């Protein structure tokens, strides 16, 4: 019988779908019987999804222009 | 740098041109990844000035050492590795930040943080504006220890594989996995305070 601790130690691999079918079905049985672990699995999955959906902020124009200037200088020096 | 007409061209072709010394091609690679590298640098250093330095140093080093890029990994993975090294160096140099220890031993799993066990509503992020949501997510990440933060950023934001993350951070695969689990659980805990279903409390399911 799987304990909550066992379940949590496999949680990342479970959410990443990086476990074999046998272990997967044991974990899935555990969450049908354990509401706490179900909530933790569900909210952890949502946590990951929200972060994955974050778009990078557009790079600020002043930061980009300093980057491009620095690179142009470097390229010019290399080509001499 | 000239305006690129290379947008949309396959990356390996652009990298090959850049390696031949084509500065326009290198400029295209910069444009493709500067936003992600800047975000990564901000997440790891938690400091805008350092992040800008890391951004510049990353592409300078990439340009300088482009002949060492063998093409056996993706170009993006290669520059991420450079960026992470630069960013971790900044953290180490910032001596005032005493919380930074990159080879600390971390207890793996006995005391996982699980105080808030409450279900979230559907699409919890819809309750917030884009800016508010960004603020909530950034604050939660900032509160993680640097190594947890770096592992989470590389795995779950930049979407590197476990192996690529291990390589970039100089950690073993099991160390990446245990830190990732801890980081995810800590973030889940922090976000639960914002996203839990109205009326639920921490003990609703106990």
């Amino acid at each position: 019988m799987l304990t909550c601790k066992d379940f949590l130690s496999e949680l990342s691999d479970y959410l990443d779908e990086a476990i074999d079918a046998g272990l997967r079905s044991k974990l899935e049985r555990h969450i049908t019987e354990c509401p706490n672990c179900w909530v933790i699995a569900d909210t952890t999955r949502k946590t990951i999804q929200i972060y994955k959906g974050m778009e990078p902020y557009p790079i600020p124009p002043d930061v980009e222009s300093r980057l491009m200037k620095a690179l142009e200088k470097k390229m010019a020096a290399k080509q001499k | 740098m000239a305006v690129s007409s290379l947008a949309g061209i396959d990356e390996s072709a652009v990298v090959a041109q850049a390696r031949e010394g084509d500065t326009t091609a290198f400029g295209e690679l910069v444009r493709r990844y500067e936003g992600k590298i800047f975000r990564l640098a901000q997440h790891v250093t938690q400091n805008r000035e350092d992040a800008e330095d890391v951004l510049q140093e990353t592409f300078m080093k990439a340009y300088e050492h482009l002949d060492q890029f063998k093409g056996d990994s993706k170009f993006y993975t290669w520059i991420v590795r450079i960026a992470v090294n630069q960013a971790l160096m900044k953290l180490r140099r910032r001596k005032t930040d005493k919380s930074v220890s990159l080879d600390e031993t971390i207890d793996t799993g006995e005391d996982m943080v699980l105080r808030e066990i409450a279900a979230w509503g559907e699409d919890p992020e819809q309750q917030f504006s884009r800016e508010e949501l960004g603020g909530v997510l950034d604050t939660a990440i900032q509160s993680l220890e640097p190594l947890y933060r770096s592992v989470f950023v590389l795995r779950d934001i930049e979407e590197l594989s476990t192996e690529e993350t291990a390589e970039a951070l100089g950690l073993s695969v099991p160390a990446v996995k245990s830190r990732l689990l801890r980081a995810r659980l800590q973030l889940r805990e922090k976000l639960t305070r914002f996203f839990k279903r109205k009326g639920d409390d921490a003990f609703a399911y106990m």
Side-chain angles (χ1 to χ4, degrees):
Chain A
M1 198 49 196
L2 208 71
T3 64
C4 295
K5 207 173 128 187
D6 298 335
F7 177 81
L8 287 178
S9 68
E10 302 294 340
L11 179 64
S12 264
D13 282 345
Y14 171 66
L15 295 175
D16 293 339
E17 299 185 1
I19 47 168
D20 62 58
L23 180 56
R24 178 163 202 92
S25 70
K26 281 187 199 155
L27 296 172
E28 277 167 358
R29 188 155 49 153
H30 179 79
I31 46 175
T32 61
E33 292 161 358
C34 176
N36 279 343
C37 284
W38 183 85
V39 167
I40 289 164
D42 183 63
T43 52
T44 306
R45 177 186 286 120
K46 285 175 179 160
T47 298
I48 299 166
Q49 276 167 0
I50 288 178
Y51 277 104
K52 283 207 166 120
M54 255 172 110
E55 294 287 319
Y57 303 120
I59 190 163
D62 58 320
V63 172
E64 186 182 40
S65 94
R66 283 194 292 270
L67 170 65
M68 290 304 176
K69 275 206 188 90
L71 282 171
E72 274 165 14
K73 211 168 144 191
K74 177 126 198 144
M75 287 168 173
K78 198 173 177 177
Q79 282 176 345
K80 267 177 203 165
Chain B
M1 254 176 268
V3 174
S4 169
S5 59
L6 295 162
I9 305 275
D10 177 60
E11 181 185 278
S12 54
V14 182
V15 172
Q17 287 186 35
R19 287 180 54 144
E20 305 269 299
D22 180 343
T23 55
T24 311
F26 189 76
E28 171 60 22
L29 293 171
V30 173
R31 260 179 292 271
R32 281 188 194 186
Y33 299 118
E34 61 188 356
K36 292 181 100 176
I37 295 294
F38 190 52
R39 173 174 72 170
L40 166 76
Q42 283 186 303
H43 276 136
V44 176
T45 63
Q46 298 295 330
N47 176 301
R48 196 187 139 118
E49 210 176 298
D50 283 352
E52 184 170 346
D53 285 352
V54 169
L55 175 76
Q56 288 198 9
E57 286 158 8
T58 300
F59 285 109
M60 299 281 229
K61 277 197 185 299
Y63 184 72
E64 220 169 291
H65 300 290
L66 200 55
D67 55 335
Q68 288 169 22
F69 173 67
K70 301 287 179 227
D72 43 8
S73 59
K74 281 180 278 182
F75 180 75
Y76 176 59
T77 315
W78 186 66
I79 52 170
V80 161
R81 209 178 311 150
I82 300 175
V84 168
N85 283 332
Q86 297 299 316
L88 292 178
M89 245 188 307
K90 290 271 178 214
L91 282 181
R92 286 192 197 100
R93 273 188 213 136
R94 219 188 296 145
K95 293 202 175 80
T96 48
D97 187 351
K98 295 205 172 56
S99 68
V100 179
S101 163
L102 297 170
D103 8 76
E104 65 200 314
T105 51
I106 291 170
D107 176 6
T108 51
E110 291 304 315
D111 60 335
M112 283 188 275
V113 191
L114 293 169
R115 281 183 297 268
E116 290 264 14
I117 302 176
W120 296 0
E122 285 303 309
D123 301 325
E125 63 270 38
Q126 305 298 329
Q127 305 161 28
F128 294 88
S129 72
R130 220 181 117 94
E131 289 71 30
E132 284 169 336
L133 182 67
V136 167
L137 297 181
D138 285 348
T139 310
I141 287 203
Q142 275 167 27
S143 67
L144 296 178
E145 286 179 40
L147 251 192
Y148 290 158
R149 201 160 69 210
S150 307
V151 169
F152 182 81
V153 168
L154 294 186
R155 279 287 284 118
D156 284 343
I157 299 182
E158 304 303 334
E159 304 194 44
L160 266 58
S161 69
T162 304
E163 289 71 21
E164 288 167 341
T165 305
E167 205 186 324
L169 294 172
L171 293 171
S172 67
V173 165
V176 167
K177 286 188 168 196
S178 74
R179 284 167 172 84
L180 179 65
L181 175 64
R182 297 289 290 269
R184 285 171 166 180
L185 288 174
Q186 285 182 22
L187 290 173
R188 182 207 76 85
E189 175 96 9
K190 288 168 203 302
L191 296 191
T192 292
R193 288 172 208 153
F194 293 93
F195 295 149
K196 67 182 169 189
R197 219 154 45 195
K198 300 253 178 324
D200 281 5
D201 63 38
F203 301 102
Y205 294 87
M206 299 293 228

